Every structure is written in structure tokens, then in C-alpha cells.
Amino acid sequence: MKQVDVIIIGGGPGGLAAAAGARQAGADSVLVLEREDKSGGILNQCIHDGFGLVRYKSMLTGPEYARKARQEALDAGAQILTRAMVTGLTRDRVVTAVTRQGLFRARAGAVVLATGCRERTRGAIAIPGSRPAGIYTAGTAQNLMNTKNLMVGKRVVILGTGDIGLIMARRLTLEGAQVLCAAEINPVPSGLERNVSQCLYDFGIPLYLRHTVTNIFGRKRLEGVELSQLDENGRPIPGSQKQIPCDTLLLSVGLIPENEVASQAGAALDPRTNGAVTDEYLQTSVPGIFSCGNSRRVLDLADFVTLQGLAAGGNAARFIRGAALEPMPPETSNAMAKGLPQPGAVTCILCPNGCRVTDKGDGTYEGNRCPKGEDYARQEAVAPKRVLTTTLKGRDGRLVPVKTAAGVPKEQLLSCMKTLRHLQVPEGTLAPGDVAAVNPFGLGVDLVVSGEVIKKAPRFALPFCGFLPQKPSHAVLDAPSVL
């Protein structure tokens, strides 16, 4: 059996930060076990921007943030083993994983759980009706579109207003789908104001508050949903039902900490959230086993997951040395406002403060804590711009996340996407930061690579991302209802 100072289970932003933190705190051998082909976790499929404002003081896409976190772990001297599915963890910190090379077993001086979270599915919220294809969690749809080049549907209803669901409303619209509406059981959206504004309002997508899906229709493929208004007690109001013909339903109805491995070791879990219960040092009820990030409690930003990962990894290294553990950083939540955008106000997205800036009507603004807030609000009032993110595909099957090097006019987003449908990735090697297309829209804005190239798309992938014909005729993935 191998002996390792610190083993980290999960190679997302929390796990990668824990690896760097453990090495920096003196652990000689640090190993990250990641079940996917590449470390980075959910960030690899989040091609939109908005990450890194706290940690890196810049606006990054998910793949860009993951690349930085991965490099920090490697530079610190940690090892990362991908395609390693952890199947067992004991109280005395024996870790078992299945890898492409066979069964892996090691005893760790300390373990950090950075297993992240999973999405609630249809079964978790008990929507009645048949079980046709075309029902996905928002994250599953995001993965299919952004990493496998597969379109999930043409006429889409979104249930829930979590940030992933809102972002997918925009992504689907840009790729040619019709998002018919977003529905939310609460009186206000659960996602950020900026996402409600930029992902729904920008495209005229209806938002139904205090509504939910009460029935599903269709046999092989989803044919429609029934939407009902809810009373103050959360019950459907009789006579409020309306049927919406659609072929796809996305669920963005919450996240649950992933802790099957933690429960094997006997670590105490919060019965309400399923999160690992820890002390102020991020140590679970089992000595030497630590937890951080979304496996402990679902956090708003990847930046906050990183901060907890650094602390958990550092304490794991101190534990094996018998040194005093250090308290974790203060619990942090996103300062950006959530819910419905306020009339006459703009939520600044240029720094972590997320100031809600109000136009006083006399050419001046209030509510901003730095000059950036006023500049952003003024631009939003006069000529709003958006960074456009998508993927391009090459003749050899490569799939490349790209973004505009600067914002493009909001009203030209759809026409810019129409232009990108006729572009392909240039021949030759491309790396993050390289220019993929010079001034493709005639707006003086280049298109740059924002993530690592996926070498070859799956053989069954259908042309779609950035390559829909002018009259969309892309095929729709016919797959199990909820993956």
C-alpha cells in the first residue's frame, strides 16, 4: 500500500487549492484524485465569464480559472491523478480508487474532501407525469453543449432561476433555441440580479414568479409542460394551469453537497443539507479528514471555494506534523445582489463589491463604492456591452472555448453569433489567450481562445455550436430524460 502525506479527493477549484495549500504548509507528498479526464471540476464546462474577481482580480471564464488553479497546484509540487474514481475511504484514511491502470490503494496522513456538489433532479422535486426524453438538469445540458458539442433542444422551458439555469437561458438563445420562459416557485429569483438582467431581460425571455411545473406530457420525447401559479403556501392555484408546448425542460432547482465518500468514513453530515459537518479548522468529526467548498456547504463563488481549499489543505499538512491548526477564513458570501433587478439601478460586475448603482436623474449616480461603478452604470445607460462566449469547432473535430476580447454592443449579440456560425478554428496549435479570429464582426474586437482545446469531439457529435445554418436545422439529442 502506498503512503501519501495528504490525499485530496476531488480536483475542482477546492481540491486544487487544497493541494497548493498542503504543499505550502510543508506536506512532502500531496496527491489529488480526480475522476474526470481533466482536473478543474465544473469550471471546465462553464465557458461564460464572471469567475476570479476575488481571487485573481480579473474577469475569467471557467476554463481560464481552472487553468490558473491547476497550474498553482502543480507549481507547488502536488501530483494530480485524473480518471481516478474514489470508491472507498476508511476512518484510518485508507483511500481506494479505480483507475485506468487498475485498483489504487493508499494510506494518507490526512485527507481533504473536495467532492463538490450535485444537482437536484426531477425525482428530488417530484414532478408528476410521463418520463420522456428531453428533461435535463441545467448542468447536464451545459456539459453536453459546451464540451460535447450537442444541442439539447429547440423549444425550451427552464424551471428554477439558479445562476446555471439563467446562464443556460442565454446560451441556448445564442445558439438558436427558443427559450419560452423561466419559472420560479419563490416570489423573487434565486440567481444574481446581473444574470436575471443579462440572461433573461436582454433577450426578452418571460419570467414567471410563484410558478412551477405541475405536469409533463409526451411519450418518447417531451411534448409540453403544464405550468401552474402557486399560492402563498406553495400550492397550485386551481384554474391557473396553462400548457406550454416544448421539447426540452431544464431544471435549475438547487444543489446538494456530494458526500458519499465522507459517509463511508463515518464523517458526520448535516441532515438538512447533506454537507460535511466541520469544526472551525475545517476538520470533520473523523480526525485527519477535512472538508472544504461545496462538499461542506454550497458557496456562491468558485473564489470562495478556493479560499477554503487553501485553508483545509494547510491544516491537513499541519495535522500530520502535529502542529497547531489554524482557523478557517471567515464565512464569505457573494456581495453581488440577488433577485429582481431594481428599476433605475444597475448592479456593477467589475469588482467583487457588486454595487447597486442608481441613476439620480441629474447626470450623477449613487450607491457605488468606487469610480468603476459609476462608469459601468453610465455605459449601461448609454451603450451596454457584453462579452460574448461560445465554442468553435475545427475540421479535425477540435472544440475550442472562445470569447470576445472586449464587450460587443448588446443589441448585436445575436448577429455576432450568426457570424460565428460560419467560422472554424484556424489550423495549427491554439493555446488559451491566442487570437482565434481577428475582428470577425467588424467592431474592432478580436475573438480569443478562453480555454484548453478539446482535441476531438465525440464521433456521434452533431454540428451545432457556432455552426448552425442560417435556418437552424440542427438535430436534437435524443437521450434519457435526466442524466
Side-chain angles (χ1 to χ4, degrees):
M1 185 181 297
K2 299 180 184 297
Q3 299 290 327
V4 182
D5 282 354
V6 178
I7 290 180
I8 293 127
I9 302 175
L16 294 171
R23 282 288 295 163
Q24 291 163 6
D28 290 330
S29 55
V30 176
L31 176 64
V32 179
L33 298 176
E34 167 57 47
R35 65 186 177 188
E36 300 295 337
D37 292 342
K38 182 169 60 175
S39 61
I42 198 71
L43 293 172
N44 291 321
Q45 69 184 49
C46 298
I47 64 171
H48 56 278
D49 67 350
F51 301 91
L53 284 173
V54 176
R55 173 69 174 163
Y56 299 111
K57 305 296 187 272
S58 60
M59 188 85 73
L60 305 173
T61 65
E64 288 174 323
Y65 190 106
R67 185 168 181 264
K68 283 181 174 290
R70 185 182 307 117
Q71 196 58 51
E72 286 177 351
L74 294 173
D75 289 345
Q79 290 183 303
I80 302 173
L81 179 61
T82 58
R83 299 183 181 182
M85 179 71 180
V86 174
T87 57
L89 173 63
T90 66
R91 290 184 66 89
D92 56 352
R93 301 182 294 283
V94 173
V95 179
T96 303
V98 177
T99 74
R100 292 295 179 91
Q101 292 73 39
L103 200 63
F104 171 89
R105 296 187 75 226
R107 186 183 301 277
V111 171
V112 178
L113 301 172
T115 46
C117 56
R118 64 177 184 268
E119 296 176 282
R120 294 184 187 276
T121 63
R122 174 186 174 181
I125 58 175
I127 301 176
S130 55
R131 296 184 61 83
I135 305 173
Y136 305 91
T137 60
T140 296
Q142 184 183 60
N143 181 277
L144 291 170
M145 292 181 68
N146 293 346
T147 70
K148 296 177 175 60
N149 208 44
L150 292 168
M151 190 66 161
V152 295
K154 298 179 182 179
R155 291 174 55 82
V156 184
V157 170
I158 297 177
L159 177 60
T161 54
D163 289 312
I164 299 177
L166 296 173
I167 287 163
M168 286 307 297
R170 175 178 61 192
R171 182 81 172 104
L172 284 158
T173 301
L174 289 172
E175 291 295 354
Q178 183 181 4
V179 179
L180 303 169
C181 68
E184 168 62 49
I185 64 171
N186 294 307
V188 294
S190 59
L192 297 176
E193 281 185 8
R194 62 164 286 187
N195 287 335
V196 175
S197 177
Q198 296 189 8
C199 301
L200 297 184
Y201 291 3
D202 277 4
F203 303 100
I205 298 172
L207 171 61
Y208 297 116
L209 299 173
R210 289 194 181 276
H211 279 73
T212 192
V213 172
T214 49
N215 211 344
I216 286 171
F217 308 104
R219 298 186 63 186
K220 292 185 178 180
R221 178 81 197 189
L222 182 68
E223 297 174 5
V225 300
E226 177 186 83
L227 206 64
S228 298
Q229 188 175 355
L230 304 176
D231 62 21
E232 292 183 355
N233 297 315
R235 299 189 182 94
I237 299 175
S240 67
Q241 302 92 336
K242 53 185 171 185
Q243 291 190 16
I244 302 178
C246 60
D247 60 29
T248 304
L249 173 65
L250 294 194
L251 304 177
S252 181
V253 291
L255 301 169
I256 304 171
E258 183 76 67
N259 274 310
E260 276 68 18
V261 173
S263 63
Q264 285 187 24
L269 303 181
D270 186 323
R272 184 177 60 88
T273 66
N274 201 53
V277 177
T278 70
D279 58 19
E280 62 178 320
Y281 308 110
L282 295 170
Q283 187 169 214
T284 69
S285 60
V286 180
I289 298 180
F290 298 79
S291 180
C292 65
N294 291 344
S295 62
R296 178 178 171 271
R297 182 173 71 87
V298 176
L299 298 173
D300 293 321
L301 295 180
D303 305 60
F304 301 150
V305 173
T306 294
L307 294 177
Q308 275 197 12
L310 287 167
N315 277 340
R318 295 181 190 97
F319 175 86
I320 62 177
R321 299 201 323 264
L325 305 184
E326 296 182 1
M328 66 181 230
E331 291 280 5
T332 314
S333 60
N334 195 348
M336 290 187 178
K338 293 186 174 183
L340 283 172
Q342 302 300 303
V346 173
T347 301
C348 177
I349 66 172
L350 301 181
C351 77
N353 290 329
C355 298
R356 183 183 286 161
V357 187
T358 303
D359 185 352
K360 297 172 65 175
D362 58 359
T364 61
Y365 294 83
E366 63 181 2
N368 54 296
R369 284 178 272 177
C370 72
K372 288 182 180 180
E374 180 173 343
D375 294 341
Y376 182 78
R378 196 180 304 279
Q379 179 174 296
E380 280 291 293
V382 177
K385 294 185 177 182
R386 306 284 184 262
V387 172
L388 178 59
T389 61
T390 186
T391 57
L392 291 181
K393 188 180 177 185
R395 292 186 181 89
D396 58 357
R398 293 180 300 162
L399 193 63
V400 184
V402 294
K403 68 176 183 179
T404 53
V408 299
K410 180 181 76 172
E411 67 275 8
Q412 296 188 40
L413 281 172
L414 293 176
S415 63
C416 288
M417 280 298 297
K418 186 176 180 180
T419 299
L420 293 182
R421 289 170 189 151
H422 303 282
L423 293 182
Q424 286 187 323
V425 177
E427 297 295 334
T429 302
L430 282 177
D434 289 350
V435 175
V438 177
N439 192 21
F441 317 117
L443 300 171
V445 178
D446 293 339
L447 198 68
V448 299
V449 177
S450 60
E452 296 175 358
V453 175
I454 299 173
K455 297 298 183 183
K456 189 175 183 181
R459 291 179 61 189
F460 55 83
L462 303 171
F464 119 78
C465 285
F467 300 100
L468 292 178
Q470 301 221 1
K471 294 181 179 179
S473 61
H474 55 282
V476 174
L477 181 66
D478 193 16
S481 56
V482 179
L483 303 181

